[in-house]
Amino acid sequence: MATVQPHRVRPGRGIELGLLALALAIGIAAYALVGIGVTGEVPADVVGYGVGMTVLGLGLHAVLRWRAPYADPVIMPAVVALNGIGLAMIYRLDLAEDASFATRQLGWTAVSVVLAGAVIVLLRDHRTLRRYTYTAMIAGLVLVVLPLVPGLGAQINGANIWIRLGPFSLQPAELGKIALAVFFAGYLVTNRDTLALAGPKVLGLQLPRIRDLGPIIIAWAASLAVLVSERDLGTSLLFFGLFVAMLYVATERLSWVLIGLSMFVVGAGVAASAFPHVGARFDVWLHALDHDIFNRSPGGSGQLVRGLFGLASGGLFGTGWGAGRPDLVPYAESDFIFASLGEELGLTGVLAILLVYLVLAERGMRTAIGVRDGFGKLLAGGLAFVVAFQCFVVVGGITRIIPLTGLTTPFLAYGGSSLLANWIIVALLLRISDDARRPPGVVQGHVAATPPHGSPAPVQIVGSAGGPARPSRSAREAEAPQASDTRPTERIDEMRGDDA
């Protein structure tokens, strides 16, 4: 796997605070501009909205200073900016449709940020999750099949991906993708040598052994089962893509990617010809402008075509906040919020939003490269891939690059399940990035040694919050030259449980 050379690292909390102020300014300004664009006045509640978002952002920043001082300083502000832009667009659609989605989304934002802070406080070491590899597998599968339970699942817009809990509805697969990412990381870090080294070489391509194809066949079959039983192309594509991507990161074998893509294309083709609801998705994708397909109900292409016309009318710089008609597109606040933003912010605006996603994914991948243990590398890489791949699938569906899937744009679209799950992903990335960026001589709550040029290593002891602490027994043993002839770096690696 790739590694990075050691270099001096600053915690970066000051940089994070500056970027957070910029992100909050973008979100609050967008909210105010929506009110001016639609009603000609600044929204009466803009001060309360701004104070609420600022308190949430500063609260999470304080948690990071307390529990993860070396966490990546770019990830949290990038997410706050996306969340703020999404809230502004949902509020703009509320004004056009006389709805109250923005208020509920603001409530879900508060719950999600608090939950992310709780994950950072309670999860002191991401390697703890490796103990629950197969528990995560069971939890992930249960969450995926939960909508099929009679009396609990609910069909909305033709897809069986929701459950109802009293007045609330929840999409459990959003949380299931986190559990499955933990399982894939734990499984692959244990079996990667077998998957990477064994197998024949054909035409320069290292192929896996037949008996090693079991994991990818199981993932393929599970994704097809989701596609057929729940009528959810997006979730099946996301799960299978996540597994193949993590398999490639673990083994660095291109053959796994080619085999995975071939299996999914064949499976989707068979499903499209065998099941009418899957075939209808492909008809909408390939023949969206046909009269019969456009007017077909249900399952027509009207939503997709209206979204495309909205994007086209936005042009290069958009119509401006509140000056377009994104409300003409069904589900503009959820599935098609990217088209709504494209109409009012134009190509320039949506490219800026995609750039923020690119930065977010890049920081996640950078975390995966920098962290020292194999489990952390796979988990951070998988979580960063999930955000980037979901963004690609949504934007690709709206622009007709691929079939429309029904997934929602992370952090932008209306939906409590998606917001909760993606903020948990952010919390996990922040926790792993704290370990990735922490200097080798500063290990939280453990013995830390920095041997200069092979000389006897000075031992530095830090407390759980980074302050001085009483040397532990293992530290005193490390200082004693007769205690062991193992080099300090090897002892530290052993204590870290570094399996990279």
Side-chain angles (χ1 to χ4, degrees):
M1 290 185 180
T3 58
V4 294
Q5 295 298 320
H7 59 281
R8 185 179 180 185
V9 178
R10 298 178 185 276
R13 301 276 67 83
I15 297 173
E16 182 183 77
L17 190 60
L19 291 174
L20 179 61
L22 178 62
L24 289 169
I26 291 173
I28 296 169
Y31 191 83
L33 288 172
V34 164
I36 295 173
V38 177
T39 65
E41 298 176 351
V42 177
D45 60 347
V46 68
V47 175
Y49 169 79
V51 170
M53 290 296 291
T54 303
V55 168
L56 289 174
L58 292 179
L60 190 56
H61 172 75
V63 169
L64 290 174
R65 280 186 179 272
W66 176 36
R67 286 298 198 190
Y70 285 91
D72 190 294
V74 178
I75 292 178
M76 195 266 280
V79 174
V80 169
L82 291 171
N83 205 157
I85 292 171
L87 274 167
M89 178 48 73
I90 295 170
Y91 174 61
R92 185 262 175 275
L93 291 162
D94 279 357
L95 293 178
E97 301 171 352
D98 194 21
S100 58
F101 290 118
T103 304
R104 279 178 272 177
Q105 185 75 349
L106 185 59
W108 280 115
T109 299
V111 173
S112 303
V113 173
V114 171
L115 187 59
V119 170
I120 294 170
V121 171
L122 298 176
L123 184 65
R124 302 292 301 277
D125 189 336
H126 65 273
R127 287 167 293 185
T128 306
L129 296 174
R130 189 177 174 184
R131 302 175 192 167
Y132 306 102
T133 295
Y134 291 97
T135 305
M137 178 194 73
I138 296 171
L141 293 177
V142 168
L143 287 168
V144 170
V145 302
L146 214 52
L148 299 179
V149 177
L152 188 62
Q155 187 180 83
I156 299 177
N157 301 324
N160 299 314
I161 58 175
W162 299 86
I163 61 171
R164 288 199 183 279
L165 298 172
F168 300 101
S169 57
L170 181 69
Q171 195 173 343
E174 288 285 347
L175 299 172
K177 67 186 180 186
I178 302 174
L180 290 178
V182 172
F183 163 65
F184 290 156
Y187 172 80
L188 291 173
V189 79
T190 304
N191 299 281
R192 62 183 175 187
D193 288 343
T194 303
L195 296 169
L197 301 177
K201 198 168 187 177
V202 179
L203 300 176
L205 196 65
Q206 188 80 33
L207 296 177
R209 297 180 299 185
I210 297 297
R211 61 175 178 268
D212 295 332
L213 283 172
I216 200 167
I217 291 176
I218 292 174
W220 175 69
S223 63
L224 280 182
V226 171
L227 171 63
V228 173
S229 61
E230 300 186 3
R231 302 188 175 193
D232 186 9
L233 177 63
T235 301
S236 63
L237 182 61
L238 192 66
F239 287 170
F240 191 72
L242 171 65
F243 179 70
V244 173
M246 294 180 71
L247 195 56
Y248 173 71
V249 172
T251 63
E252 299 183 1
R253 287 177 61 168
L254 185 61
S255 56
W256 284 111
V257 178
L258 297 177
I259 292 171
L261 286 175
S262 303
M263 292 177 72
F264 189 84
V265 170
V266 171
V270 172
S273 59
F275 303 100
H277 63 277
V278 180
R281 288 289 182 120
F282 281 85
D283 287 340
V284 167
W285 174 43
L286 297 173
H287 310 290
L289 298 177
D290 286 4
H291 182 269
D292 294 340
I293 302 296
F294 182 86
N295 291 309
R296 186 172 62 190
S297 180
S301 62
Q303 182 189 30
L304 177 61
V305 172
R306 290 186 179 95
L308 288 171
F309 274 92
L311 281 171
S313 65
L316 188 59
F317 297 108
T319 59
W321 285 108
R325 290 300 308 275
D327 53 300
L328 296 178
V329 182
Y331 301 101
E333 73 283 349
S334 56
D335 294 6
F336 271 67
I337 195 168
F338 189 80
S340 306
L341 290 164
E343 181 177 352
E344 302 216 328
L345 302 182
L347 179 63
T348 308
V350 292
L351 285 180
I353 291 172
L354 291 179
L355 187 61
V356 177
Y357 278 114
L358 184 63
V359 169
L360 183 59
E362 187 271 339
R363 302 305 288 200
M365 291 299 179
R366 190 183 182 91
T367 295
I369 292 173
V371 76
R372 299 170 182 85
D373 65 287
F375 175 76
K377 285 180 184 294
L378 287 172
L379 183 58
L383 295 176
F385 174 81
V386 161
V387 175
F389 190 58
Q390 187 165 343
C391 187
F392 164 76
V393 169
V394 173
V395 176
I398 291 173
T399 54
R400 285 188 70 196
I401 294 175
I402 60 174
L404 200 60
T405 59
L407 289 176
T408 56
T409 318
F411 308 109
L412 287 177
Y414 171 76
S417 313
S418 174
L419 203 57
L420 276 172
N422 286 305
W423 268 104
I424 292 175
I425 288 175
V426 168
L428 292 175
L429 285 176
L430 288 170
R431 168 51 65 203
I432 300 173
S433 70
D434 177 62
D435 190 58
R437 298 180 73 250
R438 187 178 292 274
V442 182
V443 181
Q444 197 168 16
H446 294 274
V447 182
T450 53
H453 308 295
S455 60
V459 178
Q460 180 185 358
I461 310 298
V462 295
S464 59
R470 182 179 179 272
S472 62
R473 179 180 177 182
S474 57
R476 293 193 294 273
E477 291 174 355
E479 288 180 309
Q482 70 278 14
S484 170
D485 57 357
T486 305
R487 288 185 302 170
T489 50
E490 294 172 347
R491 293 173 60 80
I492 294 302
D493 287 343
E494 182 182 356
M495 283 183 289
R496 283 176 170 277
D498 191 348
D499 51 5

